Amino acid sequence: MRLLTFTPRAAEGTGATGPHGTAGTDGATERLGVETDGTVLDLAVLAGHAGVRLPHDLLSFVQAGPAARQAARELLAADPAHRPTEAVHRLQDVTPRVPLRPGKIIGVGLNYIEHVEESSRSLDTDKDLPPRPVLFGKPATAVTGPGQPILHNADLTTQLDWECELAVVIGRTAFRVSEEEAYDHVFGFSIINDISARDQRRSGQWFFSKGQDSYAPFGPVVVTRDEIHDPMALDLSLRVNGVTKQKSNTRHMLFPIARLIADISSGMTLEPGDVIATGSPSGVGAGGHRSGRLVMRKVMDCRDYPSEMNCTLAISGEEEEVIAAAAQHAVAVHGHEDTPEFRTSLRDLLKDEAPQHA
């Protein structure tokens, strides 16, 4: 299943939450759905129509275990002709939200060999391969959803950067599990962007550099483990304004997923809904020229096989190039009409949000 949290665009800004779901920040109802064949199926509506009890949010759904997943699969397997109309939405008629709020996010640093070399050259890290996983934390408050802005405070950083990573969502409590048992504790996979303020690393520690609000764009979909034949053979890519900056495959991880789960759980309990950000391949902005750092508004796409994530952010560039990319993104993701008036508003926004120093 390709699970996502969404709001119907028709309900956004109305403040109506209805009988199912939870209220989003704009008052619209956040609902749990399944993406399939260009449509999004509202699981709460399907369950209510069938007289089945299902959690109404993805975190609760993960925590409910195999029984909830089996009930959802049975609902999806039923005759589509009998689905209530209000359960079916066109993909373009919904807004993806943050899939879930993890209890904790465990980040993994320097987990691709080429990124170890890149970081040693540009970020003053050790040039030798780490002998065991390099772990750090990101708070749940860092999580933001697809299409949402990354907050850029020019007083805190002039070196905002990207890192496209496979996210592992834990589905079953794990403590001191072996590598052989590791995948039994995985719910599914998604994509996460480990946004980093390179100049806020403090005495070698990354928590503030990587843990600021909005520094963990996540989702939109979480793909259940049974849908992914081999999570160690997934393509990862990240584009900035349509230009590919990162392109790799999870097979190039230094420490594979099972090893990460075994290592983390050797001393730390992993709970359902926790997320492991499994590390970035090479191609981060700091690894290239200074113009690669995120210092003005631009558009970035971070992709992998099971999930896609789009978010607006900022990187230096010519103004009209930035405006064109932002307009294209707004049309594709938010349904805006690309008019001269809309582009004028984007120019005004760009001027308002330009950094005070670069």
Side-chain angles (χ1 to χ4, degrees):
M1 291 181 289
R2 293 173 57 87
L3 295 156
L4 76 162
T5 299
F6 73 97
T7 53
R9 286 186 175 164
E12 290 172 5
T14 65
T17 58
H20 306 296
T22 56
T25 55
D26 60 0
T29 304
E30 292 189 348
R31 314 185 71 86
L32 175 59
V34 176
E35 182 198 340
T36 176
D37 297 326
T39 63
V40 175
L41 303 178
D42 190 320
L43 279 179
V45 174
L46 290 178
H49 182 73
V52 175
R53 294 180 62 87
L54 269 183
H56 294 155
D57 66 274
L58 184 51
L59 180 58
S60 299
F61 185 85
V62 172
Q63 294 168 338
R69 296 196 293 277
Q70 182 59 33
R73 290 190 185 97
E74 291 175 2
L75 291 172
L76 297 174
D79 187 349
H82 296 156
R83 290 171 182 163
T85 303
E86 62 270 26
V88 184
H89 302 268
R90 296 186 306 167
L91 191 57
Q92 60 265 40
D93 293 335
V94 306
T95 298
R97 303 289 186 164
V98 175
L100 56 83
R101 294 283 178 183
K104 56 182 172 289
I105 303 170
I106 300 94
V108 183
L110 306 173
N111 199 32
Y112 285 74
I113 294 175
E114 67 272 24
H115 184 51
V116 173
E117 187 280 328
E118 173 184 65
S119 296
S120 68
R121 173 170 40 83
S122 57
L123 297 174
D124 194 31
T125 57
D126 198 324
K127 68 179 184 303
D128 296 326
L129 297 180
R132 56 185 178 178
V134 178
L135 306 176
F136 61 91
K138 290 173 82 87
T141 48
V143 171
T144 190
Q148 297 302 304
I150 278 74
L151 305 178
H152 175 225
N153 184 342
D155 293 328
L156 285 178
T157 180
T158 60
Q159 298 180 18
L160 203 58
D161 206 349
W162 60 77
E163 293 188 4
C164 177
E165 308 189 7
L166 180 72
V168 177
V169 180
I170 297 299
R172 178 180 158 203
T173 300
F175 184 67
R176 295 181 180 174
V177 303
S178 67
E179 292 185 40
E180 292 73 24
E181 301 170 309
Y183 280 108
D184 294 336
H185 298 264
V186 172
F187 175 84
F189 304 92
S190 189
I191 193 76
I192 194 165
N193 198 338
D194 181 16
I195 299 296
S196 307
R198 300 297 186 193
D199 45 358
Q200 283 293 340
R201 187 174 57 150
R202 301 180 178 183
S203 299
Q205 296 298 309
W206 294 333
F207 184 75
F208 193 71
S209 165
K210 294 173 173 285
Q212 296 179 43
D213 288 4
S214 78
Y215 277 22
F218 176 38
V221 301
V222 175
V223 182
T224 51
R225 178 171 56 91
D226 59 294
E227 298 272 344
I228 305 298
H229 173 68
D230 184 1
M232 292 306 303
L234 297 176
D235 288 328
L236 289 168
S237 67
L238 179 142
R239 298 184 300 171
V240 178
N241 276 10
V243 178
T244 298
K245 299 292 187 178
Q246 292 185 283
K247 187 176 181 63
S248 189
N249 188 285
T250 54
R251 66 175 174 268
H252 299 305
M253 284 186 192
L254 183 60
F255 301 105
I257 293 167
R259 172 73 183 279
L260 294 176
I261 293 172
D263 183 73
I264 295 166
S265 72
S266 66
M268 181 187 303
T269 299
L270 291 170
E271 298 177 311
D274 286 349
V275 168
I276 302 173
T278 56
S280 172
S282 63
V284 300
H289 300 293
R290 190 180 183 282
S291 61
R293 290 172 180 160
L294 301 169
V295 293
M296 287 179 60
R297 179 169 292 271
K298 269 206 176 179
V299 178
M300 181 170 63
D301 297 329
C302 184
R303 304 176 184 272
D304 73 355
Y305 170 77
S307 172
E308 291 190 357
M309 180 275 296
N310 303 283
C311 54
T312 33
L313 32 135
I315 173 175
S316 59
E318 296 298 324
E319 179 175 307
E320 288 308 310
E321 180 190 359
V322 174
I323 295 299
Q328 181 183 19
H329 175 77
V331 169
V333 176
H334 300 292
H336 287 292
E337 184 178 357
D338 188 3
T339 63
E341 293 78 12
F342 179 59
R343 291 205 176 202
T344 297
S345 69
L346 289 174
R347 288 188 186 90
D348 293 340
L349 181 64
L350 180 62
K351 292 175 183 176
D352 291 342
E353 296 194 4
Q356 300 302 308
H357 54 286

